[in-house]
Amino acid sequence: AQKITQTQPGMFVQEKEAVTLDCTYDTSDQSYGLFWYKQPSSGEMIFLIYQGSYDEQNATEGRYSLNFQKARKSANLVISASQLGDSAMYFCAMREGLVCGATNKLIFGTGTLLAVQP
Amino acid sequence: DSGVTQTPKHLITATGQRVTLRCSPRSGDLSVYWYQQSLDQGLQFLIQYYNGEERAKGNILERFSAQQFPDLHSELNLSSLELGDSALYFCASSSDGDRGCEQYFGPGTRLTVT
């Protein structure tokens, strides 16, 4: 069965520094997608970044990058140059299969609460 | 703004009652998903619809039902409500055209059962 593990319940980082949020996953499928979402205190879920299991390069979106290590089954999120507005809960999620239109349910981890300090 | 809308934003009701949560997906998205977020269960997938048809079911209780209408909006019906149903309910939508079929979430409906 699919499982996402986020072992850091909470993290602190100084403003302008980089931070890595850990995510490991378990699946028997060869084809899958990995996602990171941000949930600020206001409650909405914001899509940040996607990595497909066959992507050869790590995904990047602005200050976000995904450190994908397939053999270790890890998909860590790296936020560079942290800003106060980055303070939020961050969720790692996985979807089995790569084909759009099929079952696309997401399995989420328990989240990491990031606090950016000035 | 994700482009996914949900109403109402907040809902307070009593045990045993029935409520309907409404979701409008992003323009052009055919897939709609419902998730429940609670303190004890975390974020749980409930159900997916694709162009009006049920596509996948998660840990959705029999007291809960959903549908997707021809205009692609979706409703989640929760009946015989219990205190444990208090949670944040999210709707999300996705497009087959997006590379990762990433799901865009609405702002959520916070349900409080008293």
Side-chain angles (χ1 to χ4, degrees):
Chain A
Q2 300 177 78
K3 188 177 180 182
I4 294 283
T5 301
Q6 294 180 256
T7 57
Q8 307 154 311
M11 290 275 289
F12 288 97
V13 66
Q14 291 294 125
E15 198 177 4
K16 299 181 185 176
E17 291 186 350
V19 62
T20 297
L21 307 183
D22 294 342
C23 171
T24 58
Y25 60 91
D26 189 21
T27 180
S28 55
D29 271 18
Q30 296 301 309
S31 302
Y32 49 88
L34 296 158
F35 304 81
W36 278 91
Y37 284 84
K38 172 184 179 182
Q39 186 176 37
S41 57
S42 51
E44 73 268 31
M45 293 285 288
I46 302 167
F47 165 70
L48 295 178
I49 197 166
Y50 162 77
Q51 179 88 38
S53 58
Y54 293 117
D55 293 344
E56 293 184 352
Q57 292 195 329
N58 288 339
T60 60
E61 289 288 347
R63 294 186 299 110
Y64 304 109
S65 60
L66 200 153
N67 184 1
F68 181 46
Q69 298 188 40
K70 197 169 180 177
R72 291 186 170 188
K73 291 191 174 178
S74 75
N76 299 338
L77 178 70
V78 180
I79 305 175
S80 63
S82 297
Q83 301 172 356
L84 295 178
D86 293 334
S87 294
M89 184 73 88
Y90 289 81
F91 290 95
C92 181
M94 178 171 67
R95 182 197 71 228
E96 284 188 339
L98 288 174
V99 177
C100 289
T103 301
N104 288 335
K105 71 174 186 179
L106 293 177
I107 304 297
F108 285 87
T110 52
T112 296
L113 184 60
L114 177 67
V116 180
Q117 297 176 319
Chain B
D1 186 350
S2 67
V4 179
T5 62
Q6 287 187 250
T7 56
K9 195 169 176 60
H10 300 278
L11 200 49
I12 301 175
T13 189
T15 55
Q17 295 299 304
R18 172 190 168 94
V19 298
T20 297
L21 313 183
R22 184 188 167 101
C23 166
S24 291
R26 291 186 314 164
S27 177
D29 284 359
L30 299 180
S31 280
V32 168
Y33 313 80
W34 287 97
Y35 291 87
Q36 179 195 59
Q37 185 178 31
S38 62
L39 284 175
D40 53 345
Q41 303 271 16
L43 265 160
Q44 299 267 321
F45 167 76
L46 294 178
I47 197 163
Q48 175 195 355
Y49 279 84
Y50 181 83
N51 202 20
E53 294 188 1
E54 184 183 302
R55 180 64 65 92
K57 230 172 183 176
N59 297 325
I60 187 167
L61 299 172
E62 285 191 13
R63 300 182 286 108
F64 296 0
S65 65
Q67 54 184 331
Q68 186 179 26
F69 295 86
D71 67 352
L72 301 177
H73 91 271
S74 178
E75 292 181 356
L76 179 68
N77 300 296
L78 315 176
S79 61
S80 303
L81 285 167
E82 302 174 359
L83 295 177
D85 297 328
S86 295
L88 186 54
Y89 290 86
F90 285 110
C91 168
S93 72
S94 69
S95 166
D96 290 359
D98 290 334
R99 191 178 75 89
C101 289
E102 55 266 26
Q103 296 177 24
Y104 291 88
F105 283 68
T109 293
R110 186 167 295 280
L111 173 67
T112 303
V113 182
T114 61

